[in-house]
Amino acid sequence: MAEETTNGPRHVAVIMDGNGRWAQMRGRPRLFGHHAGARRVREIVEACPALGVKYLTVFAFSTENWKRTQTEVAGLMKLFKRYIIRETQALVNSGVRVRFIGDRIRLEDSLVQLMDDLELATSHNDLVHLTIAINYGGRDEVTRAVRRLAFDVEQGKLSYKDVDAEVLSRYLDTHVLPDPDLVIRTSGEARISNFLLWQSAYAEYEFVDTLWPDFTAAEFGGIVRSYAGRDRRFGAVKV
Ligand code: IPE
Ligand code: IPE
Ligand code: MG
């Protein structure tokens, strides 16, 4: 697929919300909605090259989502494993490089192993960079980063005088990614829920009512294209 060069967003981040309500509306258990939601991801990833979106980051499970019932949490963990096993070949073949962000410490070893394997299997790909956030929270990420940074200061590898925003960024899970240009949240909620707090300082936001399992590549494309008309000033005044 040819890559378009546009003034569109290079990095789009998506808060995939509304799976539970989508299922409830159909009188089905919440996990039914999560399965439908997982199936949506492929279509959105495949739409990226033609739209000039090089980086796509999706929020799959937050550090706060552990507060849900054991059934839902266990079902989601099982779904992530199944998703990785099922999608690996297609991702490898279609040029998608996958990375995971978030704290792996609380995840099952078998899931972490699959995540590591998928990262390795796709490490030579470069068409689209898909980042999946699992057990991710913006505050948690910054906290973990600061802890590692403080450790390096304590070890004498870094002086506190050299700590600036660029240095701190290097300790974040997203250190290899550019900042998101556009953050989309589905399901009508207009909040960030702890997603990419540091990285989205100057991102554009788009909140849409569509529930994630109904979110199509066509709707995604429409939002991405409309971004090109936005005037991003980054605090400056245009002369
Ligand atoms: C988003 O859908 C997916 C996860 C948070 C794992 P929700 O499960 O939050 O769906 P709603 O918001 O309850 O409808
Ligand atoms: C944010 O959605 C997390 C994910 C989409 C993975 P939530 O449904 O967990 O957020 P809140 O609870 O509405 O803020
Ligand atoms: Mg939700």
Side-chain angles (χ1 to χ4, degrees), residues 15-17 59-62 65 68 185 189 191 193:
I15 302 173
M16 309 185 289
D17 196 16
F59 203 3
F61 192 89
S62 78
N65 288 148
R68 297 185 179 199
R185 181 173 189 147
E189 313 288 0
R191 56 176 172 262
S193 300

Side-chain angles (χ1 to χ4, degrees), residues 28-29 60 77 111 182 195 197 202 224 230 236:
R28 303 294 300 267
M77 295 302 144
L111 173 57
L182 172 65
F195 191 42
L197 295 180
Y202 272 99
V224 167
R230 296 188 184 197

Side-chain angles (χ1 to χ4, degrees), residues 17-226:
D17 196 16
N19 295 347
R21 277 163 283 169
W22 186 90
Q24 272 154 8
M25 279 167 57
R26 286 161 179 77
R28 303 294 300 267
R30 295 178 58 83
L31 275 165
F32 180 70
H34 294 314
H35 282 268
R39 282 194 293 274
R40 276 283 154 210
V41 177
R42 190 194 276 214
E43 183 183 325
I44 304 303
V45 175
E46 284 173 355
C48 286
L51 293 163
V53 175
K54 188 90 187 165
Y55 296 86
L56 178 74
T57 299
V58 297
F59 203 3
F61 192 89
S62 78
T63 46
E64 288 71 37
N65 288 148
W66 299 104
K67 294 178 200 160
R68 297 185 179 199
T69 64
Q70 208 269 332
T71 311
E72 184 169 352
V73 170
L76 281 164
M77 295 302 144
K78 207 169 152 191
L79 170 61
F80 297 148
K81 288 195 264 184
R82 261 177 57 173
Y83 178 85
I84 294 174
I85 293 166
R86 276 201 193 156
E87 295 292 317
T88 293
Q89 209 49 55
L91 289 162
V92 170
N93 295 344
S94 54
V96 180
R97 178 163 187 177
V98 183
R99 294 184 180 88
F100 293 92
I101 55 169
D103 192 356
R104 296 177 190 206
I105 207 91
R106 219 175 146 177
L107 303 177
E108 289 166 37
D109 291 345
S110 55
L111 173 57
V112 174
Q113 187 63 55
L114 287 165
M115 288 159 62
D116 286 341
D117 291 348
L118 181 58
E119 286 187 335
L120 188 65
T122 60
S123 60
H124 300 294
N125 285 344
D126 185 44
L127 183 62
V128 180
H129 293 245
L130 170 66
T131 302
I132 305 175
I134 299 182
N135 192 24
Y136 175 86
R139 287 184 174 179
D140 180 68
E141 179 193 33
V142 173
T143 307
R144 286 186 286 107
V146 169
R147 202 179 298 140
R148 284 198 301 271
L149 189 153
F151 182 74
D152 282 352
V153 172
E154 194 179 80
Q155 296 290 303
K157 284 188 192 160
L158 184 70
S159 163
Y160 76 91
K161 291 182 189 143
D162 294 327
V163 177
D164 59 14
E166 200 274 317
V167 169
L168 179 52
S169 296
R170 280 193 243 142
Y171 286 85
L172 296 173
D173 296 350
T174 52
H175 60 97
V176 292
L177 307 176
D179 285 343
D181 304 294
L182 172 65
V183 179
I184 300 170
R185 181 173 189 147
T186 58
S187 91
E189 313 288 0
R191 56 176 172 262
I192 308 169
S193 300
N194 207 5
F195 191 42
L196 301 175
L197 295 180
W198 170 281
Q199 298 85 344
S200 301
Y202 272 99
E204 298 289 325
Y205 281 92
E206 188 71 29
F207 299 101
V208 297
D209 287 335
T210 311
L211 301 175
W212 174 255
D214 291 329
F215 192 70
T216 59
E219 185 168 5
F220 178 70
I223 296 168
V224 167
R225 285 191 203 94
S226 74

